[in-house]
Amino acid sequence: MNNKRKELIVSAISNGTVIDHIPANKLFQVIRILDLEKSDKEVYFGTNLESKKYGRKGIIKISEKYFESSETDKIALVAPTATLIEIKDYEVTKKTTVNIPDTIERIAKCFNPNCVTNKEQVPTKFKVIKINGEIKLACHYCEKNTSQSNMVFN
Amino acid sequence: MKNRSLISINDYSKEEIMQVLELAAEFEKKPHQNLLHGRVIASLFFEPSTRTRLSFESAIQKLGGNVIGFSSAATSSVQKGESLKDTILTVCNYSDLIVMRHPVDGSARFASEVASVPIINAGDGANQHPTQCLLDLYSIKKTQGTLENLEVTFVGDLKYGRTVHSLVIALCHFNTKFHLVSPVELKLPSAVKRHIKEANLQYEQYTDFSEVIPKSDIIYMTRIQRERFPDPLEYEKVKNAYILDNGMLDYARENCKILHPLPRVNEISTNVDDNPKAYYFEQALNGVYVRQALIAAILGLK
Ligand SMILES: [Zn+2]
């Protein structure tokens, strides 16, 4: 890819955030957890794009939107390789990689229907663990592990 | 342990486990001690479990304490739709310690976070039942003289049996060698096996029961429930493969003991009951001493 085209992909929005390096098969899950279907901002996405580092990647561009840490935590859980690029006035102002948090509170649901967090008014609390390379959420209450494919966010 | 809730066996270190077991041995020698004079213990059984409830209430009364509470949700304000949090906060006003059994996973942990008095978990759904685990450990130690370096065989439903999961995890402190006997559908979950691997211990899995009997210091039997099999034919195939009969014990070690969390259905033939290796009824009695020890330790009376 030449530099001009690269620039185009990243800076096609004047203000907002580009989420780059999303594993191609996680793109739609990222769209879902960020609730972008309901966004009234301009949203562009692409998938199965070539990436030197990751083979095939997905990319999302959202106008007029800068993410809070609770949202980047969610992105990190399903797309740990993602990069966030903040754009102001067509310029890249900030570039960060997402960090997988050690614990997460409130933002995710426990997959166990009989968990107290799904039965009473109890905010969820998880330890983020890695088993054989896969990220899982270990519930502080029912002690069950929610795997990536079962992750549902609030 | 003082003033700390016991929710999961993982909350206790090896040293704390040993402390409870030593204290339980004291109570076995001298069960009637008036340590709880004037204290009130709440026994909240949001689902019925007569066996566990009677064991706790017997432990409390042998210590001279008073029991308040309910034996099923039907007789409590829960039926009127009260939240768990409100019930716990109310009961804290009237008691020094709460023993609770609840059908929802994680309910005991949540209760311990809102309560101003310590909680002992007497079973939260399919999750934890730490006092059962401690009484199992006590029974093993008492019959074998030690918990270290034993070969322990688990038989039956290793997938859903929470008592099996907790006991396997607790035994990882004691250099146990595990023999796991079950139908393929009911193998020990990998999350539990991970604890064995992390402790660098050995386990072997079998579908055939008889070959492990001569290798076992303890045989821990569990019930295989019909509901666990989506296909009734599969249940019919395995239901008789994991029944312990007296004749099978001819090849057992001299020191071998049979444990079972009870109630049993048919997985141990009644002809085993009179065999000196059968230990499941004494095992239940040990529960009273272990619960006395826990209550005394948590209230700081010992
Ligand atoms: Zn949970």
Side-chain angles (χ1 to χ4, degrees):
Chain A
M1 206 182 330
N2 65 39
N3 275 345
K4 211 170 175 190
R5 246 194 91 206
K6 198 170 178 179
E7 225 163 78
L8 250 177
I9 283 179
V10 177
S11 57
I13 51 174
S14 54
N15 289 291
T17 305
V18 175
I19 311 170
D20 198 2
H21 300 124
I22 302 167
N25 61 349
K26 299 285 191 233
L27 177 84
F28 290 99
Q29 201 179 354
V30 174
I31 291 172
R32 224 171 19 249
I33 61 173
L34 296 176
D35 223 2
L36 294 179
E37 292 102 324
K38 293 185 195 127
S39 171
D40 55 0
K41 306 283 192 284
E42 279 177 33
V43 178
Y44 306 90
F45 65 87
T47 187
N48 293 323
L49 307 172
E50 257 178 61
S51 159
K52 278 206 189 90
K53 267 196 224 163
Y54 304 106
R56 297 272 162 179
K57 67 169 186 181
I59 192 166
I60 305 173
K61 298 180 246 180
I62 309 129
S63 275
E64 315 291 333
K65 167 85 190 169
Y66 302 97
F67 288 104
E68 318 236 328
S69 68
S70 65
E71 292 169 304
T72 55
D73 281 355
K74 288 190 211 175
I75 299 171
L77 291 173
V78 295
T81 54
T83 316
L84 291 183
I85 303 158
E86 292 191 1
I87 294 175
K88 284 179 184 149
D89 221 1
Y90 294 102
E91 299 270 340
V92 172
T93 53
K94 200 172 155 197
K95 202 167 177 173
T96 48
T97 49
V98 293
N99 279 320
I100 298 170
D102 295 332
T103 57
I104 61 161
E105 293 187 18
R106 290 168 196 274
I107 61 173
K109 284 190 176 142
C110 181
F111 87 107
N112 172 9
N114 196 42
C115 177
V116 71
T117 60
N118 290 318
K119 294 270 186 178
E120 302 265 340
Q121 288 206 354
V122 181
T124 61
K125 214 161 150 185
F126 299 93
K127 214 191 258 167
V128 181
I129 56 170
K130 232 177 187 178
I131 299 175
N132 302 328
E134 204 207 329
I135 294 170
K136 292 183 190 231
L137 303 180
C139 179
H140 169 71
Y141 292 102
C142 75
E143 304 183 24
K144 301 258 182 308
N145 295 340
T146 299
S147 62
Q148 233 171 6
S149 52
N150 286 327
M151 280 181 200
V152 176
F153 295 91
N154 291 322
Chain B
M1 273 164 278
K2 194 181 167 187
N3 286 327
R4 246 173 65 205
S5 295
L6 172 59
I7 305 303
S8 163
I9 192 66
N10 310 333
D11 295 347
Y12 278 3
S13 66
K14 180 178 180 177
E15 290 66 36
E16 286 170 325
I17 289 172
M18 295 311 289
Q19 236 176 299
V20 174
L21 301 188
E22 275 156 33
L23 198 49
E26 275 183 41
F27 283 109
E28 179 168 4
K29 282 194 206 105
K30 195 170 174 251
H32 294 273
Q33 302 190 32
N34 205 19
L35 296 168
L36 285 181
H37 181 75
R39 309 261 183 155
V40 178
I41 312 288
S43 161
L44 309 185
F45 278 65
F46 295 86
E47 69 175 1
S49 171
T50 309
R51 200 177 297 277
T52 304
R53 185 171 58 83
L54 293 182
S55 175
F56 266 109
E57 293 183 2
S58 164
I60 295 162
Q61 280 168 6
K62 281 183 177 158
L63 294 173
N66 298 301
V67 185
I68 57 168
F70 46 83
S71 56
S72 79
T75 57
S76 75
S77 51
V78 180
Q79 221 199 0
K80 296 176 195 148
E82 186 177 57
S83 74
L84 175 59
K85 182 179 176 183
D86 289 8
T87 307
I88 295 294
L89 290 180
T90 305
V91 173
C92 284
N93 291 334
Y94 309 124
S95 59
D96 299 295
L97 178 122
I98 296 173
V99 173
M100 74 174 264
R101 168 105 165 190
H102 198 286
V104 169
D105 306 347
S107 52
R109 176 78 63 199
F110 172 63
S112 74
E113 291 174 347
V114 296
S116 56
V117 302
I119 304 259
I120 296 178
N121 182 7
D124 63 319
N127 185 30
Q128 291 282 341
H129 191 2
T131 60
Q132 174 73 44
C133 184
L134 286 165
L135 83 86
D136 290 341
L137 290 170
Y138 186 79
S139 302
I140 296 172
K141 182 165 183 280
K142 192 173 149 189
T143 58
Q144 306 298 319
T146 177
L147 284 168
E148 304 285 344
N149 312 317
L150 297 172
E151 293 195 51
V152 181
T153 298
F154 289 88
V155 184
D157 177 358
L158 310 189
K159 183 173 182 185
Y160 298 100
R162 67 176 172 193
T163 56
V164 171
H165 303 171
S166 303
L167 186 55
V168 167
I169 293 168
L171 282 171
C172 287
H173 291 304
F174 301 100
N175 197 34
T176 304
K177 184 168 180 190
F178 297 94
H179 302 291
L180 309 171
V181 186
S182 73
V184 274
E185 297 88 345
L186 298 177
K187 285 205 300 197
L188 194 72
S190 53
V192 183
K193 278 185 221 150
R194 203 163 48 89
H195 287 273
I196 304 179
K197 287 181 204 156
E198 279 172 6
N200 285 317
L201 299 179
Q202 287 180 303
Y203 69 86
E204 274 183 77
Q205 304 187 92
Y206 312 77
T207 48
D208 181 55
F209 185 6
S210 51
E211 64 172 303
V212 300
I213 290 176
K215 301 186 206 170
S216 312
D217 297 310
I218 291 287
I219 300 175
Y220 196 98
M221 298 293 298
T222 65
R223 187 155 48 106
I224 295 181
Q225 289 167 282
R226 189 186 294 271
E227 312 85 88
R228 300 301 185 200
F229 290 83
D231 181 353
L233 274 177
E234 290 300 314
Y235 172 74
E236 293 303 319
K237 260 194 252 166
V238 302
K239 71 170 185 190
N240 293 324
Y242 302 96
I243 292 179
L244 182 64
D245 190 81
N246 201 31
M248 294 159 76
L249 290 171
D250 292 349
Y251 306 98
R253 289 178 179 174
E254 202 60 44
N255 61 309
C256 176
K257 294 287 182 215
I258 316 300
L259 302 187
H260 190 301
L262 301 182
R264 102 179 125 173
V265 182
N266 67 339
E267 57 279 6
I268 304 176
S269 307
T270 47
N271 62 21
V272 180
D273 294 357
D274 294 328
N275 191 316
K277 294 184 166 39
Y279 194 73
Y280 26 95
F281 294 116
E282 288 100 318
Q283 182 188 357
L285 173 61
N286 290 336
V288 177
Y289 311 130
V290 165
R291 289 172 177 125
Q292 285 183 290
L294 270 175
I295 292 167
I298 290 173
L299 289 176
L301 304 170
K302 272 279 178 179

